[in-house]
Amino acid sequence: MKAFSVGNRTGKFIWLKGESHPYHRYLFARRSFHLEESLSSAVLRVTASDRYLLYLNGRYVGRGPARSNPRLKSFDSYDVSSSLRPGRNTIAIRAYYYGSPADGRGSGTKVAYYCFGERAGLWAELEWTTRKGHRQILGTDSTWRLTAARGWDRTAKLISPITGPNEIRDANLDPDNWMHLEFDDHAWPAAEVIYFPGNSQERALPWVLLEERDVPMMREEELWPERVVEVGEVSNDGRSGIDIATLLDREIHLPADSGTIEQLDTILTPAGSLVCRAAFVPHEGGRVPYLILDFGRQVFGFPRVKFRAGKGAIIDMTHGQKLDGGRVRAIDGEYRYGDRYIARDGEQVWEHGEYKQFRYLHLTIKPTEEPVRIDSITLNQYLYPCEQRGQFRCPDHRLDKLWQAAIDTLYLQMEDNLVCDARRERIVHAPGYSVDHTSAVYVGFGALPIVSRKMRLTPLNDDGTGMMGFKFCEDFVERNFVNFFLAWSTAVRLHHLFAGCRDLLVGDPDPGGPERLYASVKRQIDWYEPHRDKNGLLGELPYRIWWDWAPLDLRGTTFSLNAHYVNGLRDAAWLAQEVGETKKAQHWRDLAEDVRTGLRRTFWDDDRGLFHDSFHEGQLTGHISEIANGFALLFGIADSEQAVRINENLTVKPTPGLIEASPLSISYLLDGLLSRGFSKKALDIMRLRFIPMCLEVERPTLWENWGPYSRGRPISDDEMFRGYQQDRFIPHGARSQAHCSPVLIAYVMTTRILGVMPTAPGFSKCSITPHPGDLEWVKGVVPTPHGDITVSWERAKNGMSLAVEVPHGIDGEVVLPREKEVPAELHHNERRVILEAAEVSAADDITLSTCKVRVGLTSGSHRLSLKRI
């Protein structure tokens, strides 16, 4: 992507005078201009810290920008040639800055993981060419008019310290037509230009380069709720001085006996019109209506209410992923969700300024003497513009539902980047941790640009030593999770395999742009080597270590950390070989083997037939987990005999003495079992652990924990990151019902059970290696840059058959199991081959080993069967 210097652009960053880090600030900006003639082309570019809504001549154009590091600020481009006309035109922008809370934490302290925390700013440029060929650029400068929006209550409490404030808005305090062409803005103050090229004191800007957005704009689409869950009344006691979340959480829900809602059955249709009235009940006081709506599944976007009301009418709103005792809880652990809109007189629309992720929507409507007529309660869905291409089908429909639940959960986290949890965190975790949901993007959507963006921007968050920040939209801090970046080389290798990113890997970078990925891999994996102890293992590291909501023993030298080190070194070696650094590749391979040997020597318990979690103060601590032994299988730490014993000693049901993995890490265990051929056990664990959450609702998503509620005892930072717990615990507070980590299961099911995996960059080669377990057949589709691979396989008593469609540009192989030295008959399209020897090349494209048959494939249609004779 081409980057532009901020200082060389016509447009300058602007804001209100004297504000750099205001808290919860909405801003209106306008610029009117005159066109003498019609245009042949016009492009409007815009960005902001932190968000914007763009209007042109009173019409909505779009919203953004993509979150980005201010060193490489992302802007959006709109083709507006059809929207401009000769005569007067007006650009209008509503900007928003999350800012710093007024709690003494200091300027620059951000309150949302959506933003990076740079100072407040707005930038735009309109470039047009007339039909006569004249080119002109109009940019943000001191001729723009700005005013602070007054309608949003800037004392509103935070949802949480990482999610931003709730919305409390009084529509009477701002003009409703501020974006219109005819609006008179002459009383608004002139914008302050943040950067004056001639003033050296003003050159310390957070923004260095501008770069056009490299992922598609989100799609907006209106969605109606599916049903009314409940309608009733609450006392309208007029309490003040209490935050909205607390008020909603304490409301006493009463039956709808006072006639406060009319025409309820119409609210689920576009032609509906719900009438809400206040009522007075003798001896009890005022009553106002509430209703709970169900959108039928987890959704993502901006709640929208279209209604007519008298001045001062109030709508209070909260939302949730689940119902708790029939209610939507406004206070969910440490998270507080409570929004309010105070109406002006007449028709109006309340659309939230901040997106929400939920299934259930609660509204309490407080009319004045005039009733409130609600025409619609909908969601402006905020959708990443891609289609689901991947598929997975098998005879166990519960597993089908699990795969689809993973993909649906993933889609809720796809924005301008991939986030961890759209409801409560909105964090962009670096791919070293989230190999889980980047991998699921490959098999579910094949949406490569969003993963490429994540990969490109991650190295920008480097502290200068090679260690990168765990959260993308955050400066490097001491709370970094040092263990997760052991998988950074794995994330880069997978992206190269699935997407073919050689230019991103080692190509010439754009001037001033992000460095190539291999360079960051090299610095990152080499960061760990000086931290090896006298036994050659990684011991006490700076920063934090955390894997899972399981009570793992993280003291001393830990097995999981070093197992990831082995895998990270191997993948770094693969990348080094790919770019021609053979000496570096050999060094990393030798180092990986040395660490693997040390792990076997130190952590293996021959009596129990499992690896321990931790070696501390000269001895094994006695803690043994599913996670560590899953890593031992997946990363090849366990030899073949150890792998058999691990399979024997891992139980399907959680048992005392074996620490159970949470949904965050269980897929690594399943992947490990499948990779070593223990398919039946993997499927049994998959069913037992995941299926209950898939049967909870018709269109499920995957949870952060095994249960829908999580209210265990609080745990200290020391316990979570450096200590351990003797007892199994359930994490305290709110946990998500749509979380990114479990979606790795879709990748595992596609690459292991269906069996399709790329084996060369850009999916130029692939392997199809089914792991049937107890399944009789599986069908699926796998997206690739060349088109979709379709596979169906079926077991029979004496063998297996497959049908494969391979797109042009891919060579592959099918790997099938065979019994040792048992003659078999292979059919491949019209060809028939008798296989007798244990290890021999039966033909140019057929290779036999002791227990496998490999058949080469070219693009096109293939039908294969392997049967014992």
Side-chain angles (χ1 to χ4, degrees):
M1 298 297 295
K2 188 175 181 179
F4 305 93
S5 171
V6 170
N8 293 335
R9 303 301 299 183
T10 300
K12 307 301 178 185
F13 277 88
I14 61 173
W15 199 257
L16 292 169
K17 186 176 181 179
E19 284 193 347
S20 61
H21 295 85
Y23 172 64
H24 191 35
R25 168 65 80 193
Y26 281 90
L27 173 78
F28 299 139
R30 287 172 54 90
R31 177 63 159 87
S32 295
F33 57 97
H34 192 84
L35 291 176
E36 297 293 341
E37 54 185 305
S38 58
L39 307 180
S40 62
S41 65
V43 177
L44 181 54
R45 305 179 180 96
V46 60
T47 191
S49 301
D50 296 304
R51 294 182 183 269
Y52 72 83
L53 281 180
L54 175 63
Y55 299 86
L56 187 58
N57 294 333
R59 300 187 66 178
Y60 172 70
V61 177
R63 71 175 85 217
R67 74 197 85 196
S68 55
N69 190 303
R71 290 157 53 192
L72 196 63
K73 187 70 175 175
S74 178
F75 65 84
D76 300 327
S77 295
Y78 300 90
D79 183 348
V80 295
S81 52
S82 62
S83 301
L84 296 172
R85 61 195 183 192
R88 188 170 186 261
N89 294 268
T90 297
I91 303 169
I93 302 173
R94 190 187 82 188
Y96 175 65
Y97 182 73
Y98 289 99
S100 307
D103 62 359
R105 288 196 284 169
S107 65
T109 302
K110 63 178 187 175
V111 298
Y113 275 133
Y114 180 87
C115 61
F116 206 95
E118 70 263 35
R119 66 150 292 157
L122 171 65
W123 177 90
E125 280 186 352
L126 174 63
E127 180 177 352
W128 70 83
T129 303
T130 68
R131 296 193 182 278
K132 295 180 180 180
H134 299 138
R135 177 176 172 270
Q136 191 169 341
I137 300 177
L138 180 153
T140 40
D141 57 20
S142 59
T143 64
W144 282 60
R145 298 286 182 174
L146 307 183
T147 190
R150 297 186 300 145
W152 283 267
D153 184 351
R154 297 182 61 226
T155 67
K157 293 189 176 182
L158 295 174
I159 298 170
S160 80
I162 63 173
T163 318
N166 284 294
E167 179 171 310
I168 303 175
R169 182 180 175 188
D170 188 340
N172 298 281
L173 300 181
D174 292 314
D176 65 328
N177 62 341
W178 66 271
M179 74 289 288
H180 290 177
L181 182 67
E182 300 80 10
F183 181 80
D184 183 1
D185 60 20
H186 77 277
W188 290 10
E192 179 181 59
V193 176
I194 299 171
Y195 175 54
F196 292 94
N199 186 343
S200 61
Q201 300 300 314
E202 296 292 335
R203 294 194 177 200
L205 284 179
W207 310 290
V208 179
L209 297 169
L210 291 166
E211 179 186 61
E212 188 166 9
R213 183 188 188 108
D214 59 352
V215 286
M217 298 294 294
M218 299 286 281
R219 188 173 78 246
E220 299 182 39
E221 185 177 287
E222 193 164 24
L223 178 72
W224 266 257
E226 290 191 358
R227 68 186 181 103
V228 177
V229 175
E230 185 174 279
V231 61
E233 299 172 356
V234 298
S235 296
N236 187 20
D237 57 12
R239 284 184 292 174
S240 59
I242 187 170
D243 73 280
I244 309 305
T246 300
L247 182 65
L248 288 166
D249 215 56
R250 293 179 181 176
E251 283 180 344
I252 297 175
H253 290 184
L254 303 169
D257 294 333
S258 304
T260 54
I261 288 189
E262 301 172 8
Q263 301 168 210
L264 176 65
D265 57 338
T266 68
I267 197 59
L268 303 179
T269 65
S273 183
L274 178 69
V275 178
C276 303
R277 305 178 187 275
F280 181 80
V281 178
H283 310 298
E284 296 185 19
R287 297 277 183 86
V288 292
Y290 76 87
L291 69 157
I292 301 173
L293 300 173
D294 178 9
F295 282 79
R297 56 185 170 86
Q298 300 293 342
V299 293
F300 176 71
F302 304 89
R304 177 189 289 166
V305 185
K306 297 180 181 179
F307 66 104
R308 180 181 181 87
K311 180 180 179 180
I314 291 173
I315 299 178
D316 289 340
M317 182 186 294
T318 191
H319 60 282
Q321 295 178 323
K322 60 184 180 294
L323 295 178
D324 183 357
R327 296 179 64 124
V328 179
R329 290 294 178 185
I331 299 177
D332 191 1
E334 65 268 43
Y335 295 84
R336 310 171 66 85
Y337 301 94
D339 303 307
R340 169 170 285 186
Y341 182 89
I342 303 171
R344 63 177 183 273
D345 186 57
E347 294 185 353
Q348 54 211 290
V349 178
W350 177 25
E351 180 172 301
H352 278 256
E354 184 77 315
Y355 60 63
K356 315 288 184 184
Q357 195 281 296
F358 63 95
R359 174 174 174 172
Y360 299 97
L361 196 64
H362 171 107
L363 296 90
T364 297
I365 301 100
K366 301 179 179 180
T368 57
E369 293 182 1
E370 178 183 334
V372 174
R373 189 195 73 208
I374 299 179
D375 295 322
S376 65
I377 303 170
T378 60
L379 179 73
N380 180 15
Q381 291 191 98
Y382 205 42
L383 306 170
Y384 187 83
C386 68
E387 300 299 324
Q388 179 182 322
R389 292 165 57 190
Q391 295 179 24
F392 182 93
R393 296 288 183 271
C394 70
D396 188 338
H397 299 303
R398 300 170 301 170
L399 294 179
D400 294 351
K401 201 169 185 179
L402 170 59
W403 188 93
Q404 189 61 51
I407 298 304
D408 290 345
T409 304
L410 169 66
Y411 192 57
L412 293 169
Q413 326 301 335
M414 294 173 69
E415 305 172 34
D416 57 271
N417 211 317
L418 290 163
V419 304
C420 164
D421 180 336
R423 171 168 169 78
R424 85 165 193 275
E425 292 181 78
R426 301 169 186 167
I427 297 173
V428 178
H429 284 150
Y433 164 67
S434 52
V435 171
D436 35 29
H437 61 313
T438 55
S439 300
V441 172
Y442 301 137
V443 301
F445 300 96
L448 302 179
I450 193 171
V451 183
S452 293
R453 176 173 180 79
K454 185 164 188 170
M455 304 298 290
R456 288 180 61 247
L457 297 186
T458 296
L460 287 176
N461 210 17
D462 190 326
D463 75 336
T465 69
M467 176 55 64
M468 292 179 281
F470 171 62
K471 305 177 185 72
F472 167 66
C473 286
E474 186 170 50
D475 290 327
F476 190 91
V477 292
E478 70 277 5
R479 293 176 64 85
N480 204 31
F481 294 95
V482 71
N483 53 302
F484 289 126
F485 272 103
L486 288 163
W488 173 237
S489 56
T490 301
V492 175
R493 176 177 177 265
L494 282 177
H495 195 54
H496 195 30
L497 285 171
F498 277 91
C501 61
R502 188 170 181 83
D503 58 334
L504 186 58
L505 194 67
V506 293
D508 293 333
D510 298 325
E515 66 175 337
R516 301 300 88 176
L517 296 180
Y518 174 69
S520 69
V521 166
K522 185 157 55 172
R523 286 205 319 276
Q524 175 67 28
I525 202 68
D526 281 346
W527 182 94
Y528 294 92
E529 190 170 351
H531 296 282
R532 297 175 71 202
D533 61 20
K534 63 182 180 181
N535 297 314
L537 302 176
L538 296 178
E540 294 286 347
L541 296 179
Y543 314 118
R544 297 184 172 216
I545 299 174
W546 184 82
W547 289 109
D548 191 87
W549 287 124
L552 305 177
D553 192 343
L554 303 178
R555 299 170 298 166
T557 303
T558 63
F559 181 90
S560 295
L561 181 76
N562 283 276
H564 265 79
Y565 189 33
V566 171
N567 191 62
L569 286 164
R570 287 173 177 160
D571 284 338
W574 186 92
L575 291 166
Q577 199 72 44
E578 181 71 15
V579 303
E581 291 197 2
T582 55
K583 289 185 178 179
K584 196 67 174 174
Q586 189 59 51
H587 171 70
W588 284 333
R589 282 194 292 267
D590 292 343
L591 190 55
E593 184 58 31
D594 191 40
V595 177
R596 184 176 79 148
T597 300
L599 284 173
R600 289 178 177 175
R601 180 177 60 245
T602 305
F603 289 89
W604 177 251
D605 184 333
D606 200 52
D607 291 334
R608 296 198 60 180
L610 293 165
F611 285 98
H612 283 248
D613 269 17
S614 174
F615 186 85
H616 182 55
E617 296 181 345
Q619 62 182 354
L620 294 171
T621 62
H623 290 249
I624 296 178
S625 68
E626 294 179 335
I627 294 173
N629 285 278
F631 291 155
L633 295 172
L634 181 60
F635 299 149
I637 311 301
D639 62 29
S640 57
E641 292 182 4
Q642 289 170 335
V644 170
R645 294 199 63 196
I646 289 172
N647 178 56
E648 291 172 349
N649 292 307
L650 287 176
T651 56
V652 175
K653 294 182 178 180
T655 57
L658 185 61
I659 299 168
E660 175 191 4
S662 83
L664 273 62
S665 295
I666 191 70
S667 295
Y668 293 99
L669 169 62
L670 300 173
D671 200 10
L673 288 166
L674 287 162
S675 70
R676 304 299 283 266
F678 307 124
S679 307
K680 176 62 166 60
K681 177 161 286 183
L683 287 169
D684 287 344
I685 293 175
M686 195 181 301
R687 292 180 178 111
L688 182 71
R689 312 281 179 93
F690 275 114
I691 294 305
M693 70 176 73
C694 292
L695 299 179
E696 184 84 4
V697 293
E698 180 60 32
R699 300 182 66 176
T701 49
L702 300 187
W703 306 340
E704 192 173 356
N705 282 321
W706 296 121
Y709 301 99
S710 304
R711 296 204 178 95
R713 67 174 179 84
I715 55 176
S716 68
D717 274 2
D718 184 63
E719 286 180 301
M720 181 185 296
F721 300 111
R722 288 291 187 185
Y724 68 99
Q725 289 115 321
Q726 296 283 354
D727 57 320
R728 177 173 176 239
F729 73 93
I730 299 174
H732 70 291
R735 290 294 172 261
S736 177
Q737 287 200 299
H739 194 269
C740 74
S741 292
V743 305
L744 178 61
I745 193 63
Y747 173 82
V748 172
M749 294 171 76
T750 294
T751 58
R752 298 295 187 190
I753 300 175
L754 182 64
V756 181
M757 177 80 80
T759 55
F763 235 122
S764 58
K765 295 182 179 180
C766 74
S767 172
I768 303 171
T769 310
H771 291 80
D774 58 6
L775 297 175
E776 294 301 317
W777 58 266
V778 172
K779 300 177 181 179
V781 177
V782 183
T784 83
H786 309 279
D788 295 340
I789 298 174
T790 62
V791 176
S792 63
W793 56 255
E794 184 175 359
R795 290 197 308 162
K797 287 184 178 181
N798 62 340
M800 177 177 281
S801 61
L802 296 92
V804 182
E805 291 283 342
V806 181
H808 180 72
I810 300 178
D811 291 327
E813 67 171 8
V814 169
V815 182
L816 298 175
R818 69 184 292 250
E819 295 182 40
K820 182 178 180 180
E821 298 181 354
V822 174
E825 182 179 61
L826 173 70
H827 287 264
H828 180 195
N829 290 342
E830 304 301 323
R831 183 174 53 160
R832 175 175 173 268
V833 180
I834 302 298
L835 309 176
E836 295 181 347
E839 297 194 34
V840 67
S841 177
D844 291 342
D845 59 344
I846 301 174
T847 303
L848 307 183
S849 62
T850 302
C851 56
K852 288 184 174 61
V853 178
R854 299 177 182 271
V855 183
L857 304 179
T858 58
S859 59
S861 300
H862 298 269
R863 292 190 174 275
L864 301 97
S865 66
L866 180 66
K867 298 180 180 180
R868 296 189 303 274
I869 297 177

